[in-house]
Amino acid sequence: MNWAPRVKPIKIRRLYRYARLGIYDDLLLHDVGWELYERCTDIATVADVYREGRVPCPKCRTKITRRIDPLFSSGEGGTHENWFHCSHCAKRLLWRDCRQSLRNTPRCFDCRSVLQKADDLACVCGKTWSPAAYKQSIRTRVRLPCPHCLNLVRRPDPPSMERTVRMRKSSPALQCPKCQAVALHQHGNIECTACGYKRRWRDYRKSLKKKDEKLECPNCKYTFRWQAWRKSARPLRTGNPRPAREFVKKWIRCRTPRQRMIQIDTLLQTLHGRGPLAPLFIDSGEHNIRQMLDDLAS
């Protein structure tokens, strides 16, 4: 997989040197901005893979659904929450997505207008909330706006107790590694009913993790290994892809050099506050990056 390279620090320093003089170099802004955009896009893509379980093909970028082994994953997309679809726009959601959207951009629950932030949160329709009351309302309401279409959606019902018990009691079908016949998990071992193969359950699980998982793209028929893809994406993996997602969303809306400079500065200030995240974007050591960001912030 060809990932976008990290941005050179010398370009960022030159960009800020010109900005202090009131000069916006369009060519330099274009280079730095779009390099950051491509890097942020790759970081968000890798984060989506671990959340949704869909891997982009290295050739044509078609997303391929992984056949996740049931011995290691009981949820869809790496989460045990219930997915549901918005009844208005049919988007696939988690309930926490609805809550997080309101935490990021507070909106009125009735007219869905963006709230004005002062001492209290005020809406144009006349309603006000204190910050604590608004957070409490987000936690307790059963109907919240959809993050995509802003229409009200209802919180999905939790799975029934019978279904939960059935999922806990059900065990995936096991195959003997030697003869591919049906095997059983009993007494801490895996035992084959046909050839008598027997192995410790712990060792069997470890061997499954090391087993190659091959994925084939339905579009271009390209075959690749999940382990190789995961290794190539390791420098892009982070538990906090939010700054990258926000930059991708806002960068394409910038029309003037000043707006582009503001978005680049916003991203770098965010990275300055989250030191370990910066080396994913900037091509240098952590100490040098921190020193550069300190200089730019001063």
Side-chain angles (χ1 to χ4, degrees):
M1 194 88 178
N2 295 323
W3 303 110
R6 295 182 294 174
V7 182
K8 299 293 183 182
I10 189 172
K11 290 185 177 181
I12 298 176
R13 287 186 179 275
R14 191 184 307 155
L15 184 67
Y16 273 79
R17 192 180 305 123
Y18 289 156
R20 288 194 179 100
L21 299 175
I23 302 172
Y24 296 114
D25 189 334
D26 287 342
L27 183 59
L28 190 58
L29 272 171
H30 181 275
D31 290 345
V32 174
W34 284 107
E35 285 179 11
L36 285 173
Y37 176 84
E38 292 175 356
R39 187 71 178 178
C40 290
T41 302
D42 288 342
I43 290 173
T45 299
V46 172
D48 289 339
V49 169
Y50 286 95
R51 182 182 179 185
E52 301 174 358
R54 303 181 65 199
V55 187
C57 172
K59 295 292 184 181
C60 64
R61 297 276 180 166
T62 302
K63 290 192 175 182
I64 308 164
T65 303
R66 289 184 60 205
R67 296 183 296 274
I68 302 175
D69 197 294
L71 294 176
F72 302 102
S73 176
S74 58
E76 183 179 1
T79 177
H80 295 281
E81 296 186 53
N82 292 326
W83 292 92
F84 68 100
H85 290 82
C86 174
S87 57
H88 303 279
C89 64
K91 291 286 187 179
R92 191 165 175 257
L93 300 171
L94 287 172
W95 185 246
R96 64 175 174 180
D97 294 337
C98 302
R99 288 177 170 173
Q100 190 60 42
S101 175
L102 292 176
R103 293 189 184 104
N104 296 339
T105 307
R107 293 181 178 273
C108 177
F109 298 111
D110 294 333
C111 65
R112 265 82 80 187
S113 299
V114 178
L115 301 180
Q116 301 295 326
K117 295 182 180 179
D119 294 336
D120 291 334
L121 300 175
C123 180
V124 293
C125 66
K127 294 190 176 182
T128 58
W129 292 267
S130 66
Y134 189 78
K135 290 181 181 179
Q136 178 67 19
S137 187
I138 291 176
R139 287 195 298 267
T140 56
R141 283 179 178 260
V142 296
R143 293 175 65 87
L144 292 177
C146 169
H148 303 283
C149 65
L150 300 182
N151 290 307
L152 290 179
V153 293
R154 186 175 181 82
R155 182 174 61 189
D157 296 328
S160 62
M161 185 60 66
E162 295 181 359
R163 180 187 170 193
T164 305
V165 172
R166 186 169 64 252
M167 288 178 63
R168 288 176 181 172
K169 289 184 177 180
S170 63
S171 59
L174 302 177
Q175 285 186 341
C176 173
K178 190 174 181 181
C179 66
Q180 306 302 319
V182 177
L184 301 176
H185 174 209
Q186 54 187 4
H187 308 300
N189 298 316
I190 177 174
E191 300 180 8
C192 179
T193 57
C195 66
Y197 175 85
K198 184 176 180 180
R199 190 178 184 184
R200 282 204 314 168
W201 179 252
R202 183 188 303 175
D203 296 338
Y204 174 69
R205 282 173 58 93
K206 287 183 179 179
S207 68
L208 287 181
K209 290 183 178 180
K210 297 178 181 178
K211 185 178 179 181
D212 284 349
E213 180 183 349
K214 293 184 179 180
L215 301 175
E216 182 178 356
C217 176
N219 187 24
C220 63
K221 304 301 180 182
Y222 179 74
T223 304
F224 61 98
R225 293 172 55 246
W226 156 249
Q227 285 78 3
W229 189 96
R230 182 179 60 184
K231 185 177 180 180
S232 70
R234 191 174 298 164
L236 293 162
R237 190 175 181 187
T238 175
N240 183 19
R242 181 179 171 185
R245 295 185 194 278
E246 291 183 351
F247 184 82
V248 169
K249 182 172 63 175
K250 295 179 180 179
W251 174 255
I252 56 178
R253 300 176 184 173
C254 297
R255 295 292 180 265
T256 64
R258 179 180 175 82
Q259 291 176 345
R260 297 189 184 102
M261 186 64 202
I262 289 174
Q263 290 305 322
I264 293 174
D265 183 65
T266 301
L267 176 62
L268 293 179
Q269 293 300 327
T270 304
L271 299 181
H272 187 212
R274 298 174 174 87
L277 194 61
L280 270 70
F281 299 81
I282 304 173
D283 187 12
S284 186
E286 185 174 349
H287 175 73
N288 294 333
I289 294 174
R290 184 180 295 276
Q291 185 176 2
M292 182 190 73
L293 294 178
D294 288 341
D295 294 341
L296 298 180
S298 61

